[in-house]
Amino acid sequence: MLEKGKISHRQLTVLSLLYTIGTSILIVPSIMSVFSRQDGWIACLVGVVADITIIFIYSALSSRYPKLSFVEYSEKILGKWLGKAVSLFFMSFIFLLSAFLLRVVGNFMTTHIMPNTPIEVTIILFILVVIYAVRLGLETTARAGEIFLPFVIVLFLFLTVFLLPQIKIDRIEPFLEEGFKPVILGAFYYFNLQEQVILLMLVPYSNRPDKARNALLVGTSIGSLIIIVTVLLSTLVLGTEFTQRNMYASYTLAKQISVGNFLQRVEAMLAILWLITIFFKTAVCMYALSLGTAQTLQLKDYRTLTLPFGLLLVFLSLIVYDNIVSFISFTPKVFSLYATIFMVIIPVLLLSIDTLRASLKKEQSS
C-alpha cells in the first residue's frame, strides 16, 4: 500500500509547516477580526498554545503504535468493527475538509485572479494536480515541499518588510477591550481550523516516527508564527473594520504594497504563496483520505481511490455552501464543533482506553 519510512524527519517538518499555513494565511485574519476584533492576534497565540498541547496528546498516542497510522491503531484499540466505524467517521471528516479546501480555491481564483473562468474549471484543474501528486507518492510530494518552502518563506518576508512603513500601532488598541471571552472564542475557532490530527496519518511513514513529535511541533510553531504575523499586519495596516469586511484580508493587505514603478502587482506574490501552501494541505488531506479508506477496507493500493475521490470532491465542493456569507457563518460556528470531535474527543478517548487497558494488563501479569 505504502512503504514505511518513505519520508525523512525533516520532510515531515516541512509538510507540517506548509499544512499549518494552508488556507489559514488567507482566511484567518478576517475570521479573527470578526470574533476577536483587534485582539485577533492574541486569540491566535492562545490557539497556538492549544495546538501545541494537543500535539503532545497526538504524539503520546502515536508513540504507542509507531508503525501504525491513526486508522490502523483505532482498530487495535477499539476492536475490528468499532475501530472501522470510527475510521470511516474520521474519513468523512477529511472528505468534508477537502471539499472545503477545493471550494476556497475556486472562490478565491474566480473572485480575484480569473473572474471570467467558471469555478468548476478552476476546481477540476486544481484537483487533477493534487491527484497527480498523490499518485506519485508521499516521498515525491515531501521533496517538492522542500523545494517550495524557501520560496514561501522569502515571499512572506518580502511582504512583511514592505508593509512595515504602513503600520499604525494604535489600531490594535485597546487590548482586551471586551475581556477574554472574544479572545477565547477566536482561539477556539483558530485551533479547529488547523486540523493537525490528520498529520497522524503520515507519522508511521516517517523514517523516524519516534521523533514525530518534534517534527509536528516545529512545523506547527513556524507555520503558526507566519499566520500570527499575518493577522497582526492585517489589523495594523488595514484596521479591524476593514479586515472584517474582507474575506481574503491578507490578499487585500498585499495590494497596499507598491515598490516603485517596476513592481505593481505584489498581491500576486501572496496568491502564489497561498496556492503553494493550500496545494500541500489538500495533497496531505487526499493522502490521508485515500490511505485511511484503503486501510479500513483492506485494499491493496490506495492509488485506486484517488480518481473516484477526486470526482466526488469536485461535486461536493460545488454544493458544500452557497456563498461566502454562508461559509463565514458555517465554518467557525458549525464546522469547528464538528472538528472538535476528531481533533480532541476521539484521540483523547483512544489514548485513555489504551492507557487503561495497558495498566489492567500490567496488574493482571503482576
Side-chain angles (χ1 to χ4, degrees):
M1 188 175 294
L2 184 63
E3 296 177 14
K4 309 292 183 179
K6 292 288 285 186
I7 60 174
S8 67
H9 174 263
R10 182 182 63 186
Q11 289 171 334
L12 181 59
T13 304
V14 171
L15 286 177
S16 301
L17 195 162
L18 294 172
Y19 179 92
T20 300
I21 298 173
T23 54
S24 298
I25 195 171
L26 199 66
I27 66 175
V28 161
S30 177
I31 293 176
M32 290 300 101
S33 293
V34 169
F35 293 100
S36 303
R37 297 186 61 78
Q38 68 271 17
D39 295 320
W41 65 278
I42 302 177
C44 287
L45 282 173
V46 178
V48 171
V49 172
D51 276 330
I52 291 174
T53 302
I54 203 68
I55 285 174
F56 279 95
I57 295 175
Y58 295 161
S59 62
L61 182 59
S62 62
S63 64
R64 291 172 174 267
Y65 302 94
K67 295 184 179 181
L68 301 181
S69 70
F70 183 86
V71 165
E72 291 172 318
Y73 56 68
S74 292
E75 289 190 36
K76 285 276 187 180
I77 296 171
L78 299 175
K80 182 178 180 180
W81 298 111
L82 183 56
K84 285 185 182 295
V86 169
S87 297
L88 291 174
F89 191 35
F90 183 53
M91 292 304 104
S92 72
F93 166 66
I94 303 176
F95 189 78
L96 182 59
L97 173 62
S98 301
F100 272 117
L101 295 176
L102 284 178
R103 183 58 182 269
V104 170
V105 171
N107 280 344
F108 175 75
M109 295 298 290
T110 54
T111 302
H112 293 285
I113 308 298
M114 299 182 295
N116 296 322
T117 303
I119 189 172
E120 295 85 355
V121 174
T122 302
I123 290 174
I124 290 172
L125 289 175
F126 188 80
I127 195 62
L128 285 175
V129 178
V130 170
I131 290 172
Y132 182 67
V134 173
R135 293 181 69 88
L136 285 176
L138 184 60
E139 185 180 10
T140 302
T141 303
R143 288 181 177 178
E146 289 183 296
I147 294 172
F148 281 107
L149 181 61
F151 293 99
V152 171
I153 300 299
V154 169
L155 285 174
F156 175 74
L157 291 176
F158 176 87
L159 293 168
T160 301
V161 168
F162 282 98
L163 281 170
L164 292 179
Q166 302 187 45
I167 286 177
K168 295 183 180 179
I169 298 297
D170 60 322
R171 286 178 171 166
I172 60 170
E173 298 175 349
F175 295 109
L176 302 175
E177 181 181 14
E178 299 179 13
F180 283 99
K181 184 178 179 181
V183 171
I184 299 301
L185 188 63
F188 173 74
Y189 294 147
Y190 175 85
F191 167 73
N192 284 293
L193 284 171
Q194 301 310 305
E195 301 101 6
Q196 304 298 107
V197 68
I198 296 175
L199 293 172
L200 288 178
M201 291 296 297
L202 304 185
V203 169
Y205 302 102
S206 167
N207 61 358
R208 294 294 303 275
D210 57 315
K211 298 290 185 180
R213 182 176 70 183
N214 292 336
L216 297 181
L217 285 174
V218 172
T220 299
S221 298
I222 298 175
S224 298
L225 177 62
I226 291 174
I227 296 170
I228 291 170
V229 172
T230 304
V231 172
L232 192 55
L233 284 173
S234 297
T235 304
L236 289 169
V237 175
L238 300 176
T240 302
E241 302 298 331
F242 193 82
T243 303
Q244 287 178 348
R245 294 194 300 267
N246 285 268
M247 176 63 185
Y248 309 114
S250 55
Y251 182 77
T252 305
L253 183 68
K255 289 184 177 182
Q256 309 302 311
I257 302 174
S258 180
V259 186
N261 296 320
F262 63 92
L263 195 56
Q264 298 293 328
R265 294 296 304 274
V266 179
E267 69 273 13
M269 294 186 180
L270 182 72
I272 294 170
L273 185 158
W274 177 73
L275 283 172
I276 291 172
T277 58
I278 195 174
F279 164 77
F280 283 100
K281 181 165 186 174
T282 309
V284 168
C285 287
M286 178 65 83
Y287 272 117
L289 178 62
S290 303
L291 280 170
T293 305
Q295 290 168 350
T296 303
L297 302 179
Q298 297 182 340
L299 303 179
K300 292 183 178 180
D301 192 352
Y302 74 92
R303 292 176 178 85
T304 58
L305 297 173
T306 53
L307 186 57
F309 275 144
L311 294 174
L312 290 172
L313 284 172
V314 170
F315 175 74
L316 181 59
S317 67
L318 295 173
I319 63 172
V320 71
Y321 60 84
D322 296 327
N323 49 51
I324 293 297
V325 175
S326 62
F327 172 77
I328 295 174
S329 176
F330 176 81
T331 302
K333 297 178 181 178
V334 180
F335 187 75
S336 291
L337 295 173
Y338 177 61
T340 302
I341 298 173
F342 305 96
M343 294 184 62
V344 180
I345 297 176
I346 290 179
V348 169
L349 282 176
L350 289 175
L351 181 60
S352 301
I353 292 170
D354 198 56
T355 303
L356 179 61
R357 181 180 297 170
S359 63
L360 290 174
K361 285 183 179 180
K362 187 177 181 180
E363 289 178 3
Q364 290 175 356
S365 62
S366 60

